[in-house]
Amino acid sequence: MQEPARTVIPPQSGQAFRISKGDRIRLTDPKGAQVADLWAFSTDGDLDWLSTSQTRDITEKLFPAVGESFYGLSGEKMLTLVEDASPGPHDMLFPACNAALYRRAGFADHPNCADNLRAALAESGVSFPFTPDPVDFFQNSLPGPDGSLVVAASINPPGGNVTLEAERDLLVVVTACSVDHHPTNGEACTEIEVEILPPVALESAVSDDAAIDQI
């Protein structure tokens, strides 16, 4: 069986990954309590990108359940959540942290997910006119009964992870959230591990062929 491609994203940084339809991408929080921001952009035709607002509208939920999908601005499926080995919660309401957020908090030139997204896209030869809202995996920011939004420390344990399947050819960007002046990421910002797994059907077919050859 083919070993998955594994990448460690250092704290307060990000990276882009090109994946094909049917591939799976797994995000793992090795040390726990670290938020991972994710964006997805189509590479198989007309420009499209993962839209958190379209996803909320289509699923009529604050966040998809296992077996449900994230949708592009077009309304087409981009990614499907196939496994959630995390207690959650996850978030699709907050924007990426950016330079303005840190300036308001008194921190100039602070690493941030919006800049890390743009840098990862640039390294892939892609420019984008604005920063779409990300999917914030492992972020603990459920709305209160009065509609208030408070970001508490993530409760994701060490090794907690999610796995998504690509519904299209995609450029996916993942960042390890940079917030270190607030309990969002627990006591300190840490790394996020990303694995790209080949299609399940392909792996199954290879295993079946090997078994037949041994008969």
Side-chain angles (χ1 to χ4, degrees):
M1 180 178 293
Q2 181 181 341
E3 288 294 320
R6 181 179 290 106
T7 300
V8 175
I9 298 176
Q12 301 181 318
S13 67
Q15 188 163 332
F17 303 86
R18 291 188 182 273
I19 60 176
S20 300
K21 180 179 179 179
D23 287 347
R24 293 188 172 194
I25 181 167
R26 178 178 295 144
L27 312 184
T28 300
D29 174 10
K31 292 186 171 66
Q34 174 62 47
V35 173
D37 289 20
L38 177 144
W39 294 263
F41 304 85
S42 63
T43 59
D44 59 359
D46 293 339
L47 177 62
D48 196 11
W49 59 91
L50 194 161
S51 167
T52 55
S53 58
Q54 285 285 355
T55 300
R56 292 193 304 269
D57 181 44
I58 292 170
T59 62
E60 298 184 332
K61 293 180 178 179
L62 288 175
F63 203 87
V66 171
E68 297 178 338
S69 298
F70 300 89
Y71 292 83
L73 190 67
S74 64
E76 298 296 321
K77 291 181 180 180
M78 302 285 279
L79 291 159
T80 296
L81 182 62
V82 294
E83 183 178 353
D84 188 355
S86 161
H90 309 292
D91 171 74
M92 289 198 311
L93 294 176
F94 278 82
C97 64
N98 54 38
L101 179 150
Y102 292 104
R103 285 197 298 270
R104 291 196 301 272
F107 302 102
D109 302 319
H110 194 285
N112 64 83
C113 288
D115 285 349
N116 288 336
L117 165 69
R118 286 190 285 271
L121 289 175
E123 289 180 4
S124 298
V126 176
S127 62
F128 207 72
F130 66 94
T131 303
D133 288 343
V135 178
D136 303 313
F137 287 105
F138 318 129
Q139 180 166 307
N140 185 10
S141 53
L142 292 174
D146 62 352
S148 61
L149 293 173
V150 177
V151 183
S154 171
I155 61 171
N156 196 43
N161 63 82
V162 293
T163 304
L164 304 106
E165 182 170 318
E167 300 291 348
R168 306 174 62 176
D169 295 345
L170 300 171
L171 178 67
V172 175
V173 177
V174 179
T175 62
C177 180
S178 299
V179 176
D180 57 5
H181 65 289
H182 192 272
T184 307
N185 295 304
E187 296 182 355
C189 294
T190 56
E191 68 272 19
I192 289 290
E193 183 179 274
V194 178
E195 296 172 273
I196 307 299
L197 300 97
V200 171
L202 175 60
E203 289 293 289
S204 177
V206 170
S207 298
D208 290 344
D209 289 344
I212 291 172
D213 289 342
Q214 293 175 3
I215 295 176

